[in-house]
Amino acid sequence: MSPLLAYGIALFVFTANDVLFWLASGGYAMYAIDYGAKLVMLALMLAAGVRRMADPRPSAPVRLDTWAFWLAFAVVANLVLMFAAARLEEIVPPPQLFIWPKAKDLWLVSFDLSLGLALTAVVEEMMGRRLAWNVLAPRLAQPWGPLVISSVLFGLGHWGQGPWNIASATLGGAALFAAYRRTGSLALVIVAHYLVNLIVFGKWYGIAWLDPGFYFN
């Protein structure tokens, strides 16, 4: 399978699964749909050889402090954007296709915060950063073309959650792409993506030690 075809199909699955979330009507089946869609996307990308694809090459060897800076930048930028989107939703409630169900079973919460979020981080960064880079970089003007187009497509994949989440995901995707472009490290953006989701979903589940506000009260 060609990388371009894999990218197109993966984006379609990523975008269309919001319709399935809506049909599931807020039940726990939404978790199975989410995990299933991510596994389909992973299979598509593996078939296209995403593991062998090249990462961007930074202009100079990346030092540890540079790696740490871009990791912190990606995490903080995404957290600020996501919490800002949540605040805007309170002020101006947007139309939403579905509302994500809050799991109450300890085993599902534990699974979701560990393997579930890890799967999401790996798949979305493979698609939104490495695969996007290999598909878009040869076709678009550098350095902004791949960043802008991949981030917009990544943001639109969150269309079912309303316009504030689309904007947050688009700008957050741009921050992740910038970190990826400057370090050439897929591992860095996977770790950043996982940490962001862990904090956001941990706060949503009511786990105090994952809520940044817990340490400033």
Side-chain angles (χ1 to χ4, degrees), residues 98-134:
F98 62 87
I99 297 176
W100 195 260
K102 185 177 293 187
K104 300 188 182 300
D105 301 297
L106 179 59
W107 68 270
L108 182 54
V109 173
S110 300
F111 181 89
D112 194 46
L113 290 178
S114 55
L115 296 179
L117 294 186
L119 176 64
T120 295
V122 168
V123 170
E124 292 188 5
E125 292 309 310
M126 277 188 171
M127 180 196 72
R129 261 49 77 179
R130 176 178 280 178
L131 184 56
W133 169 257
N134 281 270

Side-chain angles (χ1 to χ4, degrees), residues 146-166:
L147 183 150
V148 171
I149 298 301
S150 67
S151 301
V152 169
L153 292 173
F154 184 74
L156 290 175
H158 298 77
W159 65 278
Q161 300 171 53
W164 300 125
N165 277 291
I166 293 174

Side-chain angles (χ1 to χ4, degrees), residues 16-139:
N17 68 354
D18 280 9
V19 176
L20 297 178
F21 291 155
W22 170 63
L23 293 174
S25 301
Y28 277 15
M30 291 176 68
Y31 287 88
I33 292 168
D34 188 41
Y35 301 148
K38 296 300 191 309
L39 290 173
V40 169
M41 292 164 62
L42 181 60
L44 286 167
M45 291 186 291
L46 292 177
V50 70
R51 289 181 298 178
R52 300 186 300 274
M53 291 179 184
D55 294 316
R57 291 190 177 184
S59 57
V62 180
R63 301 179 355 177
L64 182 60
D65 58 342
T66 303
W67 200 92
F69 168 82
W70 284 105
L71 175 64
F73 169 79
V75 170
V76 172
N78 272 271
L79 286 176
V80 168
L81 288 164
M82 294 179 82
F83 288 130
R87 179 59 180 153
L88 287 169
E89 284 183 351
E90 295 175 0
I91 299 172
V92 185
Q96 290 182 307
L97 189 67
F98 62 87
I99 297 176
W100 195 260
K102 185 177 293 187
K104 300 188 182 300
D105 301 297
L106 179 59
W107 68 270
L108 182 54
V109 173
S110 300
F111 181 89
D112 194 46
L113 290 178
S114 55
L115 296 179
L117 294 186
L119 176 64
T120 295
V122 168
V123 170
E124 292 188 5
E125 292 309 310
M126 277 188 171
M127 180 196 72
R129 261 49 77 179
R130 176 178 280 178
L131 184 56
W133 169 257
N134 281 270
V135 169
L136 299 174
R139 295 173 169 85

Side-chain angles (χ1 to χ4, degrees), residues 199 207-217:
I199 292 170
I207 301 174
W209 62 273
L210 288 174
D211 183 353
F214 175 77
Y215 300 96
F216 299 100
N217 290 333

